[in-house]
Amino acid sequence: MTVVSGVRVIAGDRVIDNGFVRVEGDRIAEVGQAFTGAVDATAGTVVPGFVDIHVHGGGGATFTTGDPEAARVAAAYHLSHGTTTMLASLVTSPPDLMLSATKAFAPLVGEGVLAGVHFEGPYLSQARCGAQNPAHLRHPSLDELNSLIDAGEGAVRMVTVAPELPGALDAIKLLVSRGVVAALGHTDATWEETLAGVDAGATVGTHVFNGMRPPHHRQPGPVFALLGAAPVTCEFVADGVHLHDGTLAFAASITGPARAALITDAMAAAGMPDGEYELGGQSVAVADGVARLTRDGSIAGSTLTMDAAFRRAVGAGLSLVDASRMASATPAAAIGLADDLGTLRPGRRADLVLLDDALHVTRVMRSGAWVS
């Protein structure tokens, strides 16, 4: 048995002052107030483990090349910052690399190092490709999707599609029929085309505002459509670069915390010095912690971690309860893992992050074991 106490324990929709979390094995056994026995660890604030459903790498390592050892390094780096569950996001790539990466990461999903694979592409808009490699963009292929899903044997968890492309709605329907989350992003879609994607079964908006047609009061486009669509969880990169803090606060006020998911969109440079890096076969320059393609200056992912995103959301005016939900419970629900992850509740997996008074990570527990 392990007992963790905090000045504040963020448990679902409440803050428990002088609270505690009792862990038995890999499960949360009890969450309450004023534990009277021996306590194993204390913190200013205790929150559920963070769930990052959109991350390309970190700690100098990348998911995008399909190297399982690099994937372990990246996952370990983000785990040290409180991300106890993550998808490995792969960028637009040739078919053979997508297939080989899926096969290489399937065992890591089986081990629990990763919660699944996310394909951000290749079925994306040329006009809104951002840092995606335009040389490998293509129209949706049901045969290719079936091959990837089959190869992953359950590892493929989410695929981002631009809904206006030929065949996109059929691709979304296929993904949903096979238990894969369909996300909409890197899109030049109209309001109507976006909502057609939602009607087809898409339930996530990929880094909303970024990589999509900007909103206009006479042509609302994908941003307003996704923010207003009840079935859709909207991803937000809370780094002050992808989104102004005011935009983050406003957008979260529209969706509510139950439909707003903090993500990092981090690439290999997260946790590393400024310099030259690579993303999807393209050169990236990182200066002052901001990653941009060297060819045209497009934002190329981020150097963010989930604890920093959580702090940024709180600094933008969101409550601790709402920011915690956006960093844990909401993204867990978006990828179908809400029954086991994302909330400090008896019976859930014992994933805890201990934070100091400034909301910096001091210790991390995953599945009932301390990992940092």
Side-chain angles (χ1 to χ4, degrees), residues 237-245 304 312:
V237 188
D239 62 352
V241 176
H242 284 76
L243 296 177
H244 187 282
D245 288 349
L304 190 63
R312 188 98 198 186

Tab-separated table of all heavy atoms in Angstrom, residues 237-245 304 312:
chain	number	residue	atom	x	y	z
A	237	VAL	N	-2.894	23.281	-28.399
A	237	VAL	CA	-1.476	23.325	-28.032
A	237	VAL	C	-1.259	24.563	-27.170
A	237	VAL	O	-1.164	25.685	-27.678
A	237	VAL	CB	-0.564	23.367	-29.274
A	237	VAL	CG1	0.899	23.223	-28.850
A	237	VAL	CG2	-0.942	22.279	-30.267
A	238	ALA	N	-1.159	24.367	-25.869
A	238	ALA	CA	-1.094	25.490	-24.919
A	238	ALA	C	0.358	25.871	-24.647
A	238	ALA	O	0.891	25.616	-23.560
A	238	ALA	CB	-1.814	25.128	-23.620
A	239	ASP	N	1.002	26.479	-25.652
A	239	ASP	CA	2.398	26.880	-25.475
A	239	ASP	C	2.611	28.377	-25.674
A	239	ASP	O	3.754	28.857	-25.609
A	239	ASP	CB	3.310	26.094	-26.419
A	239	ASP	CG	3.019	26.340	-27.899
A	239	ASP	OD1	2.009	27.016	-28.209
A	239	ASP	OD2	3.787	25.850	-28.743
A	240	GLY	N	1.540	29.128	-25.922
A	240	GLY	CA	1.695	30.561	-26.164
A	240	GLY	C	2.223	30.890	-27.542
A	240	GLY	O	2.345	32.078	-27.886
A	241	VAL	N	2.540	29.879	-28.346
A	241	VAL	CA	3.026	30.075	-29.717
A	241	VAL	C	1.942	29.646	-30.702
A	241	VAL	O	1.535	30.402	-31.577
A	241	VAL	CB	4.323	29.278	-29.964
A	241	VAL	CG1	4.772	29.405	-31.420
A	241	VAL	CG2	5.417	29.752	-29.019
A	242	HIS	N	1.472	28.422	-30.544
A	242	HIS	CA	0.384	27.949	-31.398
A	242	HIS	C	-0.895	28.746	-31.155
A	242	HIS	O	-1.671	28.989	-32.087
A	242	HIS	CB	0.113	26.467	-31.132
A	242	HIS	CG	1.109	25.530	-31.718
A	242	HIS	ND1	2.361	25.335	-31.172
A	242	HIS	CD2	1.041	24.724	-32.812
A	242	HIS	CE1	3.010	24.445	-31.899
A	242	HIS	NE2	2.234	24.063	-32.902
A	243	LEU	N	-1.142	29.095	-29.888
A	243	LEU	CA	-2.353	29.822	-29.508
A	243	LEU	C	-2.014	30.917	-28.507
A	243	LEU	O	-1.268	30.674	-27.555
A	243	LEU	CB	-3.368	28.885	-28.839
A	243	LEU	CG	-3.974	27.738	-29.640
A	243	LEU	CD1	-4.885	26.915	-28.738
A	243	LEU	CD2	-4.726	28.260	-30.846
A	244	HIS	N	-2.575	32.086	-28.695
A	244	HIS	CA	-2.516	33.117	-27.660
A	244	HIS	C	-3.299	32.604	-26.452
A	244	HIS	O	-4.296	31.881	-26.589
A	244	HIS	CB	-3.141	34.404	-28.202
A	244	HIS	CG	-3.003	35.586	-27.306
A	244	HIS	ND1	-3.806	35.768	-26.188
A	244	HIS	CD2	-2.174	36.658	-27.355
A	244	HIS	CE1	-3.478	36.896	-25.598
A	244	HIS	NE2	-2.480	37.457	-26.281
A	245	ASP	N	-2.856	32.972	-25.261
A	245	ASP	CA	-3.546	32.521	-24.061
A	245	ASP	C	-5.024	32.934	-24.060
A	245	ASP	O	-5.889	32.191	-23.572
A	245	ASP	CB	-2.861	33.082	-22.811
A	245	ASP	CG	-1.523	32.426	-22.534
A	245	ASP	OD1	-1.210	31.395	-23.168
A	245	ASP	OD2	-0.781	32.944	-21.673
A	304	LEU	N	7.054	21.541	-26.202
A	304	LEU	CA	6.207	21.578	-25.011
A	304	LEU	C	6.191	20.231	-24.280
A	304	LEU	O	6.397	19.180	-24.882
A	304	LEU	CB	4.786	21.931	-25.453
A	304	LEU	CG	3.720	22.257	-24.415
A	304	LEU	CD1	4.077	23.498	-23.612
A	304	LEU	CD2	2.373	22.467	-25.123
A	312	ARG	N	0.386	26.482	-18.255
A	312	ARG	CA	-0.017	27.562	-19.149
A	312	ARG	C	-1.537	27.757	-19.109
A	312	ARG	O	-2.035	28.885	-19.124
A	312	ARG	CB	0.422	27.242	-20.578
A	312	ARG	CG	0.211	28.394	-21.560
A	312	ARG	CD	1.492	29.143	-21.747
A	312	ARG	NE	1.290	30.461	-22.315
A	312	ARG	CZ	2.310	31.255	-22.665
A	312	ARG	NH1	3.559	30.872	-22.507
A	312	ARG	NH2	2.068	32.457	-23.134
